[in-house]
Amino acid sequence: MLNALLFDLDGTLTDTDQLHLLALQQLLLEEDDRVFTADEFEAHVSGQANANMCRYLFPHRSVAEHEAFADRKEVRFRQLSPQLTPMPGLVRLLDFAREQGIGMCVVTNAPRANAEHMLQVLGLRERFETVLVAEELPRAKPDPLPYLTGLERLNARADSSLAFEDSIPGLTAAVKAGIFTVGLATSQSRETLLAAGAHLVIEDFNDPLLWQQIERMLGARP
């Protein structure tokens, strides 16, 4: 059966990692004269909640200082992203899900302001009744709670759902929630995503392998 689609946001609905990296690079250089590399971003920041990011970047700073830096970073990100493009095939999938009566929600570690900004810029805000953000839940990805909450909101079961993720923390969360998880090779390699537990890896939402999986799950409907 297929009754629900749960989407990460950054790197999944739209490719934003380079903008997040640039925002961090600019701020760290301006404020600390610190050079921040793409490799460091991929290893320690991509897909993480801001609290984890700041603990890595500034282990000796206070929580208040972490929150202030995270706010500055997200403001910079929004300034750098006045225009965003949906991942190829995404609108096709959303249209199909709506026609089939399949529930959809966003599950993201991004703060609420970023999530609303990105969905609005993408023209997708009205597509999702539910947008779950980590800062409003007790635990963020890689904990499965965000995805378990998404299933609850959609009144769906894990074995009748698909999750879409591009990062290791997000992938870990969705897999732990028991959902068939599709990795998008935007921020990580196919091999890395498979090693982390992805059930399927695609380049974008037009991938025939994704549509074969959807047809298999739809064919199992009673």
Side-chain angles (χ1 to χ4, degrees), residues 9 13 106 115-125 128 131:
L9 182 47
L13 297 186
V106 171
E116 296 293 343
H117 166 77
M118 284 187 278
L119 290 171
Q120 197 67 40
V121 170
L122 289 166
L124 300 177
R125 184 60 189 90
F128 300 100
V131 178

Side-chain angles (χ1 to χ4, degrees), residues 34-108:
R34 175 175 174 177
V35 174
F36 189 71
T37 68
D39 287 344
E40 196 175 2
F41 177 88
E42 181 176 320
H44 301 287
V45 174
S46 180
Q48 295 286 351
N50 277 340
N52 293 338
M53 174 191 75
C54 289
R55 279 193 291 269
Y56 167 73
L57 290 173
F58 312 111
H60 303 299
R61 292 188 184 180
S62 68
V63 172
E65 290 174 309
H66 285 175
E67 291 175 348
F69 177 83
D71 286 345
R72 294 195 298 276
K73 179 260 178 183
E74 300 306 351
V75 168
R76 183 65 60 91
F77 165 76
R78 292 192 293 273
Q79 291 171 344
L80 292 170
S81 57
Q83 293 184 327
L84 295 170
T85 303
M87 288 289 290
L90 174 62
V91 173
R92 171 193 176 195
L93 176 58
L94 298 181
D95 287 343
F96 177 83
R98 182 170 55 192
E99 292 166 3
Q100 295 291 322
I102 298 169
M104 296 178 284
C105 75
V106 171
V107 181
T108 178

